Amino acid sequence: MSKLKCHHSTIDINFSSVSFSSGMHTSISEILKEKSLKPSRRSLPCLAQSQTHPINLNHFLSVPLSPEPKPEVEGLSQSISTSWKILTLARTKTYCTSGTLKDGKDHFVEESEVSTCEARADESFLLQKPVTRAKLEARTDSGKNPTASSGLFFRDGKKRIDYILVYKKSSPQVEKRCTFEKNLRAEGLMLEKEPSLTNNDIMFVKVHATWDTLCKYAEQMNIRMPFRKKCYFTDWKSKTLGSRFHLRCRQIKSWLPRNPMKLDKEALPDLEETDCYTAPFSRARMHHFTINNRETFFSNSTRSRIVHHVLQRTKYEDGKSKMGINRLLGNSTYEAAFPPHEGGYKSRHSIKTHGAQNHRHLLYERWARWGMWYKYQPLDLIRRYFGEKIGLYFAWLGWYTGMLIPAALVGVFVFLYGLLTMDASQISKEICEANTTIMCPMCEENCEPWTLSDSCVYAKVTYLFDNGGTVFFAIFMAIWATVFLEFWKRRRAELTYDWDLIDWEEEEEELRPQFEAKYSRMERVNPISGKPEPFQPFSDKLSRLMVSVSGIFFMISLVLTAVFAVVVFRLIAMEKFASFNWHFVKKNWQFATSGTGVCINFMIIMSLNVVYEKVAYLLTNLEHPRTESEWENSFALKMFLFQFVNLNSSTFYIAFFLGRFAGRPGKYNKLFSRWRLEECHPSGCLIDLCLQMGVIMFFKQIWNNFMELGYPLLQNWWSRRKMKKGGGGGQNVENKAQLPQWDKDWNLQPMNAHGLVDEYLEMVLQFGFTTIFVAAFPLAPLLALLNNIIEIRLDAYKFVTQWRRPMPARATDIGIWHGILEGIGVLAVITNAFVIAITSDYIPRFVYAFKYGPSLKTACYVNSSLSVFDMGELNNRNHSGYCRYRDYRAPPWNTVPYEFTLQFWHVLAARLAFIIVFEHLVFGIKSFIAYLIPDMPKDLCDRMRREKYLMQEMMYEAELEHLQKERKKNGKRYHHEWP
């Protein structure tokens, strides 16, 4: 008897849903007479299943929910007959549902009863062979609607899938899911469920937004839509030049060879009308807008954004905070939510002969393929497919890469200058010819005195990066960083204008679920929305911020501890390599010490990066940011601080501390009274800094590229392997092309949970490497350029082929990263001034050339920079005589032995003076350039003001013309004045 009751209730519910109108029509003739059908506010029965849904019932649920605004009578009668057939089929099976009964109340079945009843209901269906099931689905999708088989439409082949929700049928959150889906239908969305072909426990919910729903929320969200073609005005310059001049210029331009970097516009399809005036969409003034086709008026990204807006604001339980798809994803009600890709990215036919199948295929062929590495990026197409936020990231990355070209060329010229003049360098000659200059031992036990000429190769390599072009290149890169940021502001202004983001204001963000759960008991009125919302007291916010700052300082101290450990290793390795039995290692102990120290430091850096990400995540959650953008900015700032200190702390040690506190022979400073502090080579410490930067920058870029592409490739390969073997309990799918699009997208990797933070972070850290210590490593811009050429196509390939399609989000700039880049630009000027003044030998050589060189004609610079020590003062009796060491100290036969000479104080004064002059000069040039370059081009300002004026005129004329036509049509008198 219980089964029969369940059966009859299901039939009654289905029958009530067939009526699908507020007046509850009783006959089919009344339905056919109605011209415009409104979507029903009454929800359909929500199947709370733990097994696979019958396909026919799912098809029945999708048909009568919300028909098109103007359906044809023939199509409507066909859908009704289909519904009656499904009703007849439903009588032969028993389905236990939880939904709206006749009395209008919502009843939910207990979990145990649901699972038991559904197990019986689906038993006969699950026992079917996979072949039969495949044939049934093929039969459903075939026929008059071949587009439905691609997985982009509902089964009727007409309703476009705007969003995909994924849940497990074994999930216990049935009641929340049913209420949520019922409310989605009430909001005007149409849902259709589909079981996965690869996993029997996975169910897909396809979401479609009707025309009325799109118009309603487009008006609420102030989405700007085109309403008339732009008419550009000609200024006085173009009038004076005349049309003949323009024709002659075009003719000459056509004779020139085509730019190979530009994309072939003939291969790109016509995108949405970007050459139109736009205005916030309004249903009352719908006649103003250019609506040629309702299906294409709203782009796919706009449709997905509207559906995401509805999903974020739909309730699943009674309560102020019980709403939104994010909370349902957090409590495992749904496994995933994403907009579908527009089809496959590969085709058997050539894109040149058959054209692109879809925008994803076009993006792959014209952007994501490695063969397109020298082409400009189709930013408009990227923005249309992925949204403005991701489009701005690739625009910034492309602009940064293009600006690296002149920096890399100048860096290469500086390096080539050092390479060509290396043999002619006076310092290298002096060191290579110093066969009689005996240097003091590097350690006090097993080390022997050595000849200065033994380090000839070391001195020549040092000159490559420490020559006369170093100062020029440091000034050039400081100015380059300013020009890069200032011109990016102009480029961003042009993009925001072209993408219609000038007047777009970010809507009030919803609160994070964690924030609401924590401060639900404390409320205050939001001054913007005027509604009460949870509030975080200042005392609580301050205490949490202090704990977070303390955690940041603790992690920074951990980094400094790791650097200290590397320093101790270098001291031990220096002693071991200097007293090594192998002559080759003993001769090149400087390279051996620096190389092993850099490799160990790199391994420590990569290990700590994993820890920092988790710590930054915990500290950010501890602060309880109010919105998602605040959480992302706080997390990004912590990640940047951690990784910047982690990458550059050892570099700062080598640049500014290595060899500064070593002492002198006979009175060396020792660490823990055991290890003697490391000294600089007679030719300087710059080669150690160069080696540190080169190794870390090269290997880190390789590792990042592998993790960005290799990890998703391995995961997707493993998913495809499981699919072929039927690991999820589904069918053995040999050909991936047989799967519908929702199954293909589900088996891809989701976009990073941190959004674009990791992408920006990698590039910003690289920008720091390129600018901060560029005086020590002029090839850094070249390495960055080569990496970015690969990075653009790697990220493009990842977004198009390896990741699910992210929600198209809007943005007007790159956020907090612009401020971080400006801070790096200021820090770069200071560090480069100190590198040239302290680390490089440029200032000592300069002082010697202008002060001591002319008076000491018989002396040389190397000889003047080395002091004398009496080895007889050492306890070691094996050594006797005099040896030299790098310092400006008096000889042992002086009245005050081993005191600093006058030359030391002259060099120190010159170094301090250079730092002050360099910083003031470069900062002055940077400020002057920033003043000269406006943030927005003047012609763009004029065009915006002109279009704003024309838009107001057009809106007035269009409204007046429409009202006059309406009055004339109704036979009423009309006037030319505004009504």
Side-chain angles (χ1 to χ4, degrees):
M1 294 298 292
S2 61
K3 293 183 181 180
L4 292 176
K5 288 180 181 180
C6 188
H7 166 74
H8 288 301
S9 65
T10 305
I11 299 301
D12 290 338
I13 293 166
N14 293 334
F15 186 79
S16 66
S17 62
V18 173
S19 60
F20 61 144
S21 70
S22 59
M24 299 296 292
H25 298 289
T26 57
S27 63
I28 300 178
S29 60
E30 293 182 15
I31 300 175
L32 297 176
K33 289 178 182 178
E34 186 174 281
K35 295 182 179 180
S36 179
L37 299 175
K38 299 179 180 179
S40 174
R41 305 290 292 184
R42 185 182 296 271
S43 65
L44 287 173
C46 182
L47 299 179
Q49 291 188 341
S50 60
Q51 301 294 333
T52 307
H53 285 262
I55 296 178
N56 291 329
L57 184 57
N58 288 326
H59 178 56
F60 166 70
L61 290 177
S62 65
V63 173
L65 291 178
S66 181
E68 295 298 320
K70 294 182 179 180
E72 298 181 2
V73 175
E74 183 179 356
L76 181 63
S77 60
Q78 182 180 0
S79 64
I80 294 171
S81 62
T82 306
S83 302
W84 279 108
K85 290 179 182 179
I86 295 169
L87 280 174
T88 307
L89 179 62
R91 296 178 185 273
T92 62
K93 296 180 184 278
T94 302
Y95 302 107
C96 186
T97 62
S98 61
T100 307
L101 300 179
K102 285 185 175 182
D103 57 358
K105 298 180 180 179
D106 295 340
H107 299 279
F108 295 94
V109 186
E110 292 292 332
E111 195 67 28
S112 59
E113 297 177 5
V114 171
S115 59
T116 305
C117 188
E118 290 168 358
R120 296 176 182 176
D122 295 333
E123 184 178 2
S124 59
F125 183 79
L126 290 173
L127 291 177
Q128 296 178 2
K129 296 181 180 179
V131 179
T132 308
R133 182 178 169 188
K135 288 181 179 179
L136 180 60
E137 290 166 357
R139 195 183 306 119
T140 306
D141 292 334
S142 61
K144 297 182 179 180
N145 303 316
T147 55
S149 60
S150 64
L152 302 177
F153 296 85
F154 278 23
R155 291 194 194 90
D156 58 3
K158 298 179 180 178
K159 301 178 185 64
R160 182 183 299 274
I161 300 175
D162 300 317
Y163 227 86
I164 297 291
L165 305 178
V166 186
Y167 69 87
K168 289 184 178 180
K169 289 177 282 185
S170 58
S171 172
Q173 306 288 349
V174 178
E175 183 176 347
K176 294 178 182 179
R177 186 169 59 247
C178 289
T179 306
F180 184 70
E181 292 176 2
K182 179 191 69 174
N183 293 333
L184 288 179
R185 293 187 180 100
E187 292 293 335
L189 299 181
M190 300 182 67
L191 309 181
E192 184 178 73
K193 296 188 178 181
E194 193 79 34
S196 173
L197 297 181
T198 59
N199 193 331
N200 286 335
D201 193 32
I202 294 297
M203 180 68 73
F204 298 101
V205 181
K206 298 175 284 185
V207 184
H208 168 75
T210 60
W211 170 257
D212 291 337
T213 305
L214 292 172
C215 293
K216 171 186 173 183
Y217 284 99
E219 184 176 10
Q220 290 184 11
M221 299 169 64
N222 289 324
I223 295 179
R224 301 178 68 89
M225 301 303 295
F227 70 92
R228 188 168 296 187
K229 276 276 191 181
K230 288 183 180 179
C231 51
Y232 294 102
F233 66 98
T234 56
D235 54 357
W236 64 271
K237 290 183 180 179
S238 60
K239 289 180 180 178
T240 55
L241 290 175
S243 59
R244 291 184 179 180
F245 179 76
H246 287 290
L247 291 175
R248 185 60 57 89
C249 289
R250 291 179 182 177
Q251 186 177 8
I252 295 175
K253 203 172 183 179
S254 63
W255 294 342
L256 298 175
R258 183 178 294 181
N259 187 354
M261 295 186 69
K262 288 186 177 180
L263 288 163
D264 187 6
K265 293 184 178 180
E266 298 177 358
L268 297 175
D270 295 332
L271 300 176
E272 60 182 344
E273 293 292 342
T274 57
D275 226 18
C276 291
Y277 296 109
T278 60
F281 185 80
S282 173
R283 287 179 292 179
R285 297 183 177 182
M286 193 179 295
H287 50 276
H288 292 174
F289 299 92
T290 308
I291 307 177
N292 298 323
N293 187 355
R294 289 187 174 186
E295 296 296 328
T296 58
F297 180 65
F298 294 103
S299 64
N300 289 345
S301 60
T302 304
R303 296 173 68 101
S304 299
R305 191 152 50 88
I306 291 175
V307 173
H308 181 77
H309 178 86
V310 178
L311 294 174
Q312 290 282 49
R313 286 155 180 80
T314 302
K315 287 190 173 184
Y316 59 86
E317 280 185 10
D318 293 333
K320 295 181 180 179
S321 61
K322 303 295 184 180
M323 66 170 63
I325 187 64
N326 287 343
R327 294 176 178 85
L328 293 176
L329 291 172
N331 59 26
S332 299
T333 302
Y334 289 98
E335 297 297 317
F338 52 87
H341 278 294
E342 295 182 3
Y345 63 89
K346 285 187 178 181
S347 175
R348 292 177 294 177
H349 306 288
S350 173
I351 192 173
K352 295 181 179 180
T353 57
H354 292 74
Q357 293 181 337
N358 49 67
H359 285 155
R360 189 188 184 196
H361 179 213
L362 183 64
L363 281 172
Y364 175 76
E365 291 289 339
R366 301 299 177 187
W367 179 49
R369 284 196 306 112
W370 298 106
M372 298 288 110
W373 65 271
Y374 61 94
K375 296 279 188 180
Y376 288 141
Q377 301 183 89
L379 294 178
D380 289 332
L381 187 60
I382 299 170
R383 169 247 179 173
R384 177 186 174 95
Y385 195 82
F386 292 110
E388 286 80 2
K389 190 172 184 179
I390 294 177
L392 274 175
Y393 163 71
F394 281 104
W396 175 83
L397 181 57
W399 183 258
Y400 171 46
T401 304
M403 289 293 291
L404 279 173
I405 295 176
L409 290 176
V410 176
V412 170
F413 288 149
V414 171
F415 178 78
L416 291 177
Y417 168 78
L419 186 64
L420 295 176
T421 59
M422 181 173 58
D423 293 333
S425 171
Q426 182 64 29
I427 298 175
S428 299
K429 286 182 178 180
E430 292 176 5
I431 293 177
C432 293
E433 295 173 359
N435 298 321
T436 58
T437 304
I438 305 300
M439 302 299 296
C440 295
M442 297 306 302
C443 57
E444 299 178 357
E445 295 181 1
N446 301 321
C447 299
E448 298 290 334
W450 55 286
T451 308
L452 181 59
S453 59
D454 293 342
S455 61
C456 177
V457 177
Y458 199 92
K460 289 184 177 181
V461 174
T462 301
Y463 180 78
L464 288 177
F465 305 99
D466 188 8
N467 50 63
T470 301
V471 180
F472 163 75
F473 192 54
I475 297 175
F476 172 82
M477 287 303 296
I479 298 173
W480 172 87
T482 302
V483 172
F484 160 66
L485 292 175
E486 293 300 322
F487 275 100
W488 163 247
K489 293 178 184 178
R490 295 168 62 90
R491 176 60 174 159
R492 185 196 67 85
E494 294 175 356
L495 287 175
T496 52
Y497 169 76
D498 292 337
W499 293 351
D500 205 17
L501 295 171
I502 294 293
D503 297 326
W504 177 77
E505 295 181 0
E506 190 170 355
E507 60 185 5
E508 182 69 9
E509 287 189 85
E510 66 172 5
L511 302 179
R512 297 183 71 242
Q514 296 85 346
F515 182 85
E516 287 185 338
K518 180 68 177 178
Y519 302 103
S520 58
R521 297 182 180 180
M522 293 171 281
E523 290 187 348
R524 77 169 183 179
V525 177
N526 188 329
I528 299 176
S529 63
K531 298 178 181 179
E533 66 177 20
F535 167 68
Q536 184 181 15
F538 177 76
S539 59
D540 182 78
K541 185 175 183 178
L542 181 62
S543 61
R544 292 181 178 277
L545 187 61
M546 293 300 295
V547 172
S548 179
V549 171
S550 302
I552 293 174
F553 279 109
F554 173 77
M555 296 306 298
I556 291 177
S557 64
L558 183 63
V559 175
L560 298 180
T561 305
V563 172
F564 181 75
V566 175
V567 171
V568 173
F569 170 80
R570 288 174 65 103
L571 298 180
I572 299 174
M574 178 185 67
E575 254 186 53
K576 298 298 181 183
F577 288 134
S579 59
F580 213 70
N581 294 329
W582 190 6
H583 179 71
F584 177 78
V585 176
K586 187 175 182 178
K587 184 179 180 180
N588 301 284
W589 61 268
Q590 296 101 331
F591 277 115
T593 303
S594 299
T596 53
V598 168
C599 292
I600 291 178
N601 187 35
F602 175 75
M603 290 188 288
I604 293 176
I605 287 173
M606 300 312 296
S607 302
L608 288 178
N609 280 344
V610 180
V611 180
Y612 293 152
E613 183 174 352
K614 296 181 179 179
V615 173
Y617 190 83
L618 291 174
L619 292 178
T620 307
N621 286 335
L622 181 65
E623 294 177 8
H624 285 295
R626 180 174 171 272
T627 61
E628 288 294 336
S629 61
E630 291 180 6
W631 188 97
E632 185 175 334
N633 288 338
S634 178
F635 179 77
L637 184 60
K638 290 181 181 61
M639 286 293 293
F640 170 74
L641 288 175
F642 287 159
Q643 295 211 20
F644 181 82
V645 174
N646 189 28
L647 281 174
N648 295 283
S649 54
S650 57
T651 312
F652 272 92
Y653 164 75
I654 294 175
F656 305 127
F657 298 99
L658 180 62
R660 310 299 165 197
F661 311 101
R664 63 174 180 82
K667 196 177 179 181
Y668 281 115
N669 297 322
K670 295 185 178 181
L671 186 64
F672 302 133
S673 301
R674 171 67 179 85
W675 296 291
R676 202 176 89 185
L677 293 182
E678 197 171 355
E679 295 180 74
C680 284
H681 189 266
S683 58
C685 288
L686 202 66
I687 187 62
D688 296 279
L689 181 60
C690 175
L691 185 63
Q692 174 85 7
M693 288 188 60
V695 170
I696 291 180
M697 191 173 183
F698 179 75
F699 284 106
K700 189 175 186 300
Q701 288 178 350
I702 292 178
W703 176 258
N704 287 338
N705 291 338
F706 170 76
M707 290 301 295
E708 282 190 10
L709 184 62
Y711 186 67
L713 280 174
L714 290 175
Q715 285 187 319
N716 291 333
W717 171 80
W718 184 254
S719 298
R720 290 193 299 270
R721 187 171 179 272
K722 287 174 64 178
M723 270 194 313
K724 291 180 180 180
K725 292 185 176 182
Q731 303 178 27
N732 295 334
V733 182
E734 295 294 337
N735 188 6
K736 188 182 177 183
Q738 298 175 358
L739 293 175
Q741 190 62 43
W742 52 81
D743 249 322
K744 295 177 184 177
D745 291 350
W746 166 247
N747 290 302
L748 294 177
Q749 296 302 309
M751 186 179 175
N752 200 330
H754 307 143
L756 294 172
V757 171
D758 291 342
E759 313 296 332
Y760 275 115
L761 179 63
E762 179 186 354
M763 292 295 103
V764 168
L765 291 173
Q766 183 204 83
F767 180 80
F769 260 92
T770 307
T771 55
I772 292 179
F773 291 103
V774 73
F777 190 50
L779 293 180
L782 178 63
L783 288 180
L785 175 63
L786 297 177
N787 175 78
N788 287 8
I789 292 174
I790 300 173
E791 181 74 20
I792 291 177
R793 305 304 157 180
L794 187 146
D795 284 347
Y797 183 82
K798 181 175 59 179
F799 271 92
V800 173
T801 66
Q802 301 302 312
W803 278 1
R804 297 173 193 159
R805 187 178 183 180
M807 201 284 292
R810 308 200 86 186
T812 56
D813 54 20
I814 61 176
I816 195 175
W817 300 107
H818 189 273
I820 293 176
L821 289 172
E822 288 183 337
I824 290 176
V826 173
L827 181 63
V829 176
I830 299 173
T831 53
N832 280 307
F834 276 88
V835 166
I836 296 172
I838 297 177
T839 311
S840 171
D841 270 2
Y842 177 79
I843 299 301
R845 293 198 302 265
F846 183 84
V847 172
Y848 172 79
F850 285 91
K851 177 65 178 175
Y852 297 96
S855 60
L856 303 175
K857 296 182 179 179
T858 58
C860 61
Y861 167 73
V862 175
N863 187 52
S864 67
S865 63
L866 296 178
S867 301
V868 181
F869 175 72
D870 186 5
M871 289 189 290
E873 299 179 12
L874 297 176
N875 296 327
N876 193 343
R877 298 179 180 178
N878 298 329
H879 300 151
S880 61
Y882 295 104
C883 66
R884 310 296 296 272
Y885 62 98
R886 179 185 169 89
D887 209 342
Y888 295 100
R889 292 180 182 270
W893 54 81
N894 201 333
T895 55
V896 186
Y898 306 119
E899 286 293 323
F900 289 115
T901 62
L902 185 62
Q903 186 176 359
F904 169 82
W905 299 109
H906 285 165
V907 170
L908 180 62
R911 282 173 169 168
L912 296 177
F914 176 83
I915 292 172
I916 296 173
V917 172
F918 182 89
E919 288 182 357
H920 283 71
L921 176 65
V922 176
F923 278 132
I925 296 175
K926 283 168 65 72
S927 302
F928 182 67
I929 291 175
Y931 173 77
L932 289 180
I933 303 175
D935 293 346
M936 186 177 293
K938 187 179 183 302
D939 60 338
L940 182 60
C941 295
D942 295 339
R943 199 185 311 169
M944 289 169 54
R945 294 174 60 188
R946 170 72 174 173
E947 290 186 5
K948 187 176 182 180
Y949 168 77
L950 291 177
M951 189 177 66
Q952 293 175 350
E953 293 292 322
M954 290 178 186
M955 292 290 287
Y956 172 80
E957 293 175 2
E959 185 68 21
L960 184 61
E961 182 181 356
H962 174 71
L963 290 176
Q964 289 175 354
K965 287 182 180 179
E966 288 294 325
R967 290 180 176 180
K968 186 176 181 180
K969 181 179 179 181
N970 297 332
K972 296 181 180 180
R973 298 179 62 185
Y974 60 95
H975 304 279
H976 291 283
E977 68 274 6
W978 183 262

